[in-house]
Amino acid sequence: MDKRLWLAMVLAILVLFVSDRLFGPKQGPVRTAITEMSDSTSVPASGTRSGSPDLSAVTTEPASGTFDSMAAAAPSEEMVNQLLTANEPEEITIAGAKYQATLSRRGGVVSSFILAEYTDAENQPANLIRDEEKGVLGLTIETPDGILDLAETEFHVETRKSGGMTRVEFSAEDANGVRVTKTYLFHPDSLAFRLQLKASGIPNGDGAARYGINWGEGMPLLEVKPAYDQAGMASVALIGKDFVKDGGASMRGMGCSGGGGKKDQWEFENHDGMIHWAGVRDKYFLGAIIPENALDARVRTERNSGRNIARTQLIVPVDLDGTVARNFMVYLGPLKHNELQALGVGLERAVDLGMKPIIPISRLVLWCMTTLYKVIPNYGIVILIVSVLAKILMYPLTKKSLNSMKKMQLVKPEMDEINKKYKDDPQKKQKAMMALYKEHSINPVGGCLPMVLQMPIFFALYSVLYNVIEMRKAPFVFWIKDLSLPDNVGNIMGVPINPLPVIMTATMIWQQKLTPTDPRQATMAMIMPIMFLFFFYNLPSGLVFYWTVNNVVSVIQQLWIKRGDKPVSSGKGAERRDYAVASKG
């Protein structure tokens, strides 16, 4: 294979490895009004502020930089964290078609959210709540008098069912007249549920009071391959038109060392603006809270890569009269692009489909795969079909690339002569080369350009096969039991044995032997498959299978071109040689 073509492929792989660190996916504005799951008791939403965000009244930070320190901060005598209690069940369980949710009276939080259709690393039903003691959607209220943390509050609880919907209302009041009501509304067939928040009596004379809704310890560790948890664990938000992601390191999931940070090392970020939604994610699952209308507020993120923790807190100003009246939608579930897009609030931005320029292609690839899966319920076969279709689509470019390389081989003796003649005069050498290319109608980048044009499709396929939850625990055939994991069949002295990357490397060597190559590049041509073996060895088997199929189809196409095409002429009056002669250089 031409040296420049190999170089283009290697650079493309390297660009793909670091793309997540250089580019963040961005899209246009999204709809923020929630039209799902409304009921007659909805809370009137506070007016959405317009113009540039003004958070001058809510910029005071807690005494310390962690959520734990907020819980431990001692409130003043006027803000005693002792609310009225009632003799009621400690937990309330709501069972839907796709989930089983448990709510705790202590803190009024969601303490468990188990998905019916997904399992964890132990093949047990996946619970998206990491710390059941703390739960998620806990509430803190901060005023100049102190911090009121409702984590230990024993709420009064009322549960009602109507028309298939389950309504759970938590309410509490302290001795100073601060009243808080948290109402959850669950639909039996939806992973999205509603949170209505009311509060009154909050001291807010200077307008500095604010409340925070917390995502606890973030998402749990659910994956068989720990590096995937490291790669996906992040705080995420949509602020204005920008998708914000703090944390995550996709290179770790690609078999690179990357290592986690120290367990006592925390990183913090504050993001101010019009908040459309905020939450936490791992590689395949998402938890997000979505205001009914975009809020001029703050998202505070806190992460510790050594512990694989990513926390998120939505911090919102209290109304000047000391009240809160706000509707939210909450989503806890898989990062499925189509289902998230159907919610109409931009949550699909959390699905990693690659760099901004290739996202439309990635969406098309994902649509093709999910559509084919409805007919052929095996994603391995779907990958096979998509790979073949992509190669057929790119066949004209492949043919043009091979013909260009054959022409370059035909004029190689003349090129060598020019290099020898003008070795001390680069300008004359370049001019002579251009004249030679023109005489023989050769495009000097003809061998590389088609490959470069194919790269967006490769990037899109890579992003989809590496990131989407559809590949998670999807079996194929024989020893390939999970397309999202390496196809490991055992270990020898601690070294994993993955057959598919070895097969892929063999197909690359086969393809290389059929490709016109300068003999002086033979060493590089042999090294490149070994490099690809290293790159791909610990990648998901679905991605390695795609590349293997790509190589096999390329070999078939090259054999077809060699057998069926007429000999290539290098120009007027030039000797015509067949493909086999050209390949010998």
Side-chain angles (χ1 to χ4, degrees):
M1 187 177 291
D2 186 84
K3 180 179 179 180
R4 289 167 297 181
L5 182 56
W6 278 117
L7 182 59
M9 294 175 65
V10 173
L11 289 177
I13 295 294
L14 293 176
V15 168
L16 187 61
F17 280 3
V18 301
S19 62
D20 288 338
R21 296 181 180 240
L22 297 179
F23 301 95
K26 297 180 180 181
Q27 295 172 213
V30 296
R31 294 185 292 114
T32 57
I34 299 174
T35 57
E36 302 283 339
M37 300 177 61
S38 61
D39 74 329
S40 59
T41 60
S42 60
V43 179
S46 301
T48 303
R49 291 173 292 277
S50 60
S52 301
D54 180 10
L55 296 180
S56 57
V58 295
T59 53
T60 303
E61 294 298 329
S64 179
T66 68
F67 296 150
D68 290 339
S69 65
M70 290 181 65
S76 65
E77 293 182 359
E78 291 77 19
M79 293 286 289
V80 179
N81 189 12
Q82 294 179 346
L83 303 186
L84 302 180
T85 63
N87 229 356
E88 298 160 17
E90 290 298 320
E91 294 183 340
I92 301 93
T93 300
I94 300 97
K98 299 180 179 180
Y99 66 89
Q100 178 177 295
T102 301
L103 279 64
S104 174
R105 191 160 68 89
R106 187 179 67 176
V109 297
V110 180
S111 59
S112 174
F113 199 88
I114 298 174
L115 301 181
E117 299 176 353
Y118 297 91
T119 57
D120 59 17
E122 304 298 327
N123 285 322
Q124 298 299 313
N127 183 1
L128 298 190
I129 308 301
R130 181 166 182 163
D131 187 333
E132 296 188 18
E133 286 292 320
K134 293 183 178 180
V136 299
L137 305 177
L139 184 66
T140 56
I141 300 174
E142 182 181 353
T143 76
D145 296 324
I147 298 174
L148 178 63
D149 189 338
L150 279 67
E152 300 299 324
T153 298
E154 295 287 339
F155 282 81
H156 171 77
V157 59
E158 291 185 2
T159 304
R160 301 176 185 175
K161 291 186 178 181
S162 177
M165 307 286 284
T166 301
R167 177 187 177 88
V168 183
E169 181 178 289
F170 295 98
S171 58
E173 180 179 357
D174 77 347
N176 296 301
V178 177
R179 300 177 59 90
V180 175
T181 302
K182 297 172 70 176
T183 303
Y184 297 90
L185 189 65
F186 292 89
H187 191 286
D189 299 320
S190 175
L191 294 176
F193 57 92
R194 188 167 183 167
L195 169 63
Q196 300 172 351
L197 181 61
K198 289 182 179 180
S200 62
I202 300 173
N204 196 25
D206 59 359
R210 57 184 184 174
Y211 63 92
I213 302 175
N214 308 325
W215 271 107
E217 295 298 286
M219 299 299 285
L221 307 178
L222 297 172
E223 303 312 316
V224 174
K225 193 174 176 64
Y228 286 2
D229 285 312
Q230 290 180 327
M233 204 67 67
S235 300
V236 288
L238 184 60
I239 305 177
K241 296 181 180 180
D242 296 330
F243 172 61
V244 174
K245 178 182 175 184
D246 289 344
S250 58
M251 290 182 69
R252 294 176 187 154
M254 296 177 181
C256 302
S257 56
K262 296 180 180 179
K263 290 188 176 182
D264 59 351
Q265 183 175 346
W266 291 88
E267 299 178 77
F268 313 97
E269 297 286 346
N270 288 322
H271 304 279
D272 298 335
M274 301 303 295
I275 312 299
H276 295 278
W277 56 263
V280 291
R281 60 156 289 177
D282 61 11
K283 184 172 176 63
Y284 295 117
F285 298 96
L286 171 70
I289 184 166
I290 309 107
E292 185 173 17
N293 295 292
L295 295 177
D296 185 2
R298 163 172 291 179
V299 172
R300 179 172 175 80
T301 67
E302 179 178 333
R303 58 194 180 276
N304 185 317
S305 58
R307 299 180 185 178
N308 288 325
I309 294 175
R311 299 167 174 165
T312 302
Q313 184 184 44
L314 177 63
I315 303 172
V316 186
V318 173
D319 290 345
L320 291 176
D321 61 0
T323 64
V324 174
R326 189 73 62 180
N327 290 341
F328 300 90
M329 182 169 70
V330 179
Y331 176 83
L332 272 166
L335 278 163
K336 275 196 169 184
H337 187 275
N338 293 341
E339 294 180 7
L340 295 176
Q341 190 174 41
L343 294 175
V345 292
L347 287 180
E348 68 277 5
R349 297 281 293 274
V351 181
D352 188 356
L353 292 179
M355 297 177 290
K356 182 177 179 180
I358 69 166
I359 287 177
I361 304 174
S362 297
R363 288 178 180 169
L364 178 60
V365 170
L366 180 58
W367 177 85
C368 289
M369 293 184 64
T370 53
T371 301
L372 282 170
Y373 185 77
K374 294 176 183 177
V375 181
I376 307 171
N378 185 309
Y379 271 111
I381 298 176
V382 169
I383 292 171
L384 174 64
I385 294 173
V386 170
S387 302
V388 173
L389 289 177
K391 289 300 294 182
I392 292 174
L393 181 64
M394 293 292 106
Y395 176 75
L397 292 176
T398 301
K399 183 177 179 180
K400 183 176 181 180
S401 175
L402 289 172
N403 286 338
S404 178
M405 285 189 284
K406 286 192 290 183
K407 284 186 176 182
M408 293 290 285
Q409 289 285 10
L410 289 173
V411 300
K412 183 178 178 298
E414 297 172 69
M415 294 171 61
D416 291 341
E417 184 64 29
I418 292 173
N419 284 325
K420 182 178 180 181
K421 183 177 181 180
Y422 298 109
K423 64 179 180 179
D424 297 325
D425 193 335
Q427 292 184 349
K428 287 186 178 180
K429 180 170 69 173
Q430 181 69 17
K431 186 176 180 180
M433 285 289 189
M434 291 289 95
L436 179 65
Y437 294 151
K438 184 176 181 180
E439 177 185 356
H440 295 282
S441 301
I442 294 175
N443 181 355
V445 296
C448 298
L449 185 59
M451 176 60 73
V452 172
L453 294 177
Q454 294 179 60
M455 281 302 164
I457 294 179
F458 167 71
F459 282 173
L461 283 163
Y462 185 102
S463 298
V464 170
L465 294 177
Y466 182 75
N467 291 308
V468 301
I469 194 173
E470 283 80 0
M471 297 296 107
R472 185 180 188 264
K473 297 192 176 184
F476 184 26
V477 292
F478 306 125
W479 72 93
I480 305 176
K481 307 299 184 182
D482 187 343
L483 289 168
S484 71
L485 295 174
D487 61 320
N488 182 260
V489 295
N491 296 272
I492 297 179
M493 300 181 65
V495 178
I497 305 303
N498 304 333
L500 197 54
V502 177
I503 297 173
M504 180 205 73
T505 302
T507 62
M508 288 189 68
I509 295 173
W510 185 17
Q511 180 187 2
Q512 168 235 309
K513 287 184 177 297
L514 295 174
T515 305
T517 306
D518 188 335
R520 292 174 298 181
Q521 300 173 12
T523 301
M524 177 177 288
M526 290 303 298
I527 292 175
M528 293 305 297
I530 304 303
M531 292 179 61
F532 272 72
L533 173 64
F534 172 78
F535 285 148
F536 279 77
Y537 197 75
N538 287 314
L539 290 182
S541 55
L543 184 61
V544 181
F545 179 63
Y546 152 71
W547 193 256
T548 303
V549 173
N550 184 80
N551 291 340
V552 172
V553 177
S554 295
V555 167
I556 294 172
Q557 287 181 340
Q558 287 177 241
L559 291 173
W560 179 263
I561 293 171
K562 175 182 176 181
R563 179 180 180 180
D565 283 8
K566 295 180 180 179
V568 176
S569 172
S570 63
K572 296 180 180 179
E575 179 185 358
R576 298 171 67 85
R577 306 180 186 180
D578 63 19
Y579 179 82
V581 173
S583 298
K584 294 178 182 178

